[in-house]
Amino acid sequence: MVRTDDDTWDINESVGATALGVAGGRAAETNSADPLISDPYAQLFLEAAGDGIWKIYLDGELAAELADLDTQFGERMQAMIGYTASRTKFFDEFFLDAAAAGIEQVVILAAGLDSRAWRLQWPEGRVVFEIDQPKVLAFKIQTLEAHEVASIAKQVCVGIDLRQDWPKALVDAGFDISAPTAWSAEGLLPYLTSAAQDLLFERIRSLSAQGSRVAVEAFTNEFFGAESFARRAEQMERYREAAKKLGGKDIGESGNLLYEEERVEVVDWLRAHGWDVTTATGAEDLMAGNNRAVPSSLDGAVPESVFVEARLP
Ligand code: SAM
């Protein structure tokens, strides 16, 4: 799978399918004995999406068979579920704190199958703008409507690619440029080139009134390095081979959807552009704080990332 500057996708293909992977992690965590987060809608998305690698989160038998073929498989999958759960909790708390502080307008960049507008206890009058490719948002809305799930905050779809003129689309959809905003970029940055990432942050900055906040899953330059990429490619190949050996069970192909290139560290960028960085917690610390520490025997089981929050004074 080769990325292009103007590629598009549905929920079950290319970058769109990564949203199902994240929903899988949230479904697995929600269904676990002592969940860190609750996302009752994640499973609905997996069920509606048809066959693909994401089924692994619903099919205990398939996961068990893969674990038999690769002894580390179960541990690695558990580590990623712990990562997804910790990340979800981080952003849940960010939004609820911002809403409690009086911020009325939220923008979720690359919302994918994020169901926060439907599942968080938002105070009255909050608006959640969601930006993602049109087919991804359409799948989400259709699935929730089919199950008669109503949103708690007012939810507004802005179906557009983040490499196009999304600020205009956002304003056209009712975004108020004079009001403070809570922004999130979760599970997004590696799918953008370094230049597209810079442009994204410039646009966020220019649309942010005083008092705005931003939360980012920032990936370190170690993550974008060749070694880290090679390790992920090797893991992916192992699972593909294992799945093939199971015979008849197609867990799909994902290929490399990420842009392997160094970029400006998000914390540095934000500080240089007037933001006050209030939190920068490494993934390992975040997970350990949530009782989801990755066993030291597992190398590279979760992304090298930093969870950042910043405010515009
Ligand atoms: N933020 C969601 C979450 O954490 O559950 C989804 C994360 S998923 C890994 C990546 C999402 O980014 C997908 O929904 C994909 O469609 C979206 N995405 C990636 N690049 C994009 C772009 N250039 N424009 C719009 N959406 C994009």
Side-chain angles (χ1 to χ4, degrees):
M1 185 98 45
V2 178
R3 297 291 315 275
T4 57
D5 288 345
D6 58 356
D7 49 354
T8 60
W9 48 81
D10 207 331
I11 190 65
N12 57 0
E13 58 190 5
S14 180
V15 187
T18 67
L20 285 163
V22 188
R26 287 196 292 264
E29 180 71 18
T30 302
N31 295 333
S32 69
D34 185 17
L36 205 54
I37 51 118
S38 173
D39 184 349
Y41 309 122
Q43 184 158 341
L44 302 183
F45 299 131
L46 299 185
E47 287 166 354
D51 281 341
I53 193 166
W54 51 87
K55 281 285 185 215
I56 214 165
Y57 292 99
L58 295 179
D59 184 345
E61 213 179 287
L62 176 59
E65 285 178 63
L66 283 175
D68 280 349
L69 289 166
D70 182 332
T71 47
Q72 275 196 358
F73 179 82
E75 279 184 312
R76 287 188 177 274
M77 190 164 153
Q78 203 48 53
M80 264 319 286
I81 293 169
Y83 180 87
T84 303
S86 301
R87 160 176 133 177
T88 303
K89 180 167 176 266
F90 174 84
F91 284 93
D92 282 359
E93 290 173 353
F94 164 74
F95 281 124
L96 289 176
D97 282 355
I103 294 183
E104 297 189 349
Q105 179 172 260
V106 159
V107 180
I108 302 180
L109 301 159
L113 300 174
D114 184 315
S115 66
R116 291 191 174 91
W118 291 264
R119 68 179 176 80
L120 292 188
Q121 291 307 311
W122 298 93
E124 278 286 310
R126 299 305 188 270
V127 184
V128 177
F129 294 94
E130 299 196 332
I131 307 182
D132 206 301
Q133 288 225 352
K135 288 181 188 169
V136 170
L137 293 179
F139 167 81
K140 174 163 69 177
I141 300 300
Q142 278 159 18
T143 306
L144 291 171
E145 282 180 358
H147 290 86
E148 298 181 0
V149 182
S151 67
I152 295 169
K154 181 181 176 204
Q155 186 271 351
V156 180
C157 284
V158 185
I160 187 168
D161 193 287
L162 285 160
R163 296 161 295 184
Q164 295 175 3
D165 190 0
W166 61 264
K168 179 179 180 314
L170 186 61
V171 171
D172 288 349
F175 176 85
D176 180 357
I177 195 166
S178 66
T181 305
W183 302 87
S184 71
E186 177 189 18
L188 166 63
L189 300 181
Y191 304 105
L192 299 176
T193 62
S194 163
Q197 174 175 321
D198 286 347
L199 179 61
L200 182 89
F201 281 107
E202 280 159 25
R203 287 167 155 180
I204 293 172
R205 178 67 182 84
S206 68
L207 292 166
S208 291
Q210 270 188 341
S212 292
R213 302 181 183 189
V214 63
V216 185
E217 181 188 17
F219 296 82
T220 65
N221 272 320
E222 193 187 346
F223 175 91
F224 290 108
E227 212 178 290
S228 194
F229 261 76
R231 201 168 45 218
R232 283 193 295 275
E234 189 211 302
Q235 278 170 24
M236 198 57 225
E237 196 45 43
R238 279 222 313 266
Y239 298 144
R240 197 169 295 137
E241 285 303 315
K244 262 197 245 161
K245 283 187 205 149
L246 295 177
K249 286 186 174 164
D250 177 14
I251 65 165
E253 300 237 341
S254 74
N256 185 13
L257 303 169
L258 313 184
Y259 286 97
E260 180 185 357
E261 51 183 18
E262 290 213 354
R263 44 198 83 200
V264 179
E265 297 277 3
V266 170
V267 166
D268 295 342
W269 193 97
L270 290 169
R271 288 204 174 113
H273 292 80
W275 294 88
D276 185 6
V277 175
T278 54
T279 307
T281 307
E284 277 184 21
D285 289 344
L286 187 77
M287 292 177 72
N290 286 319
N291 205 17
R292 297 290 189 280
V294 180
S296 54
S297 56
L298 288 186
D299 186 25
V302 299
E304 299 94 342
S305 60
V306 180
F307 291 83
V308 177
E309 183 185 333
R311 302 179 182 188
L312 210 52

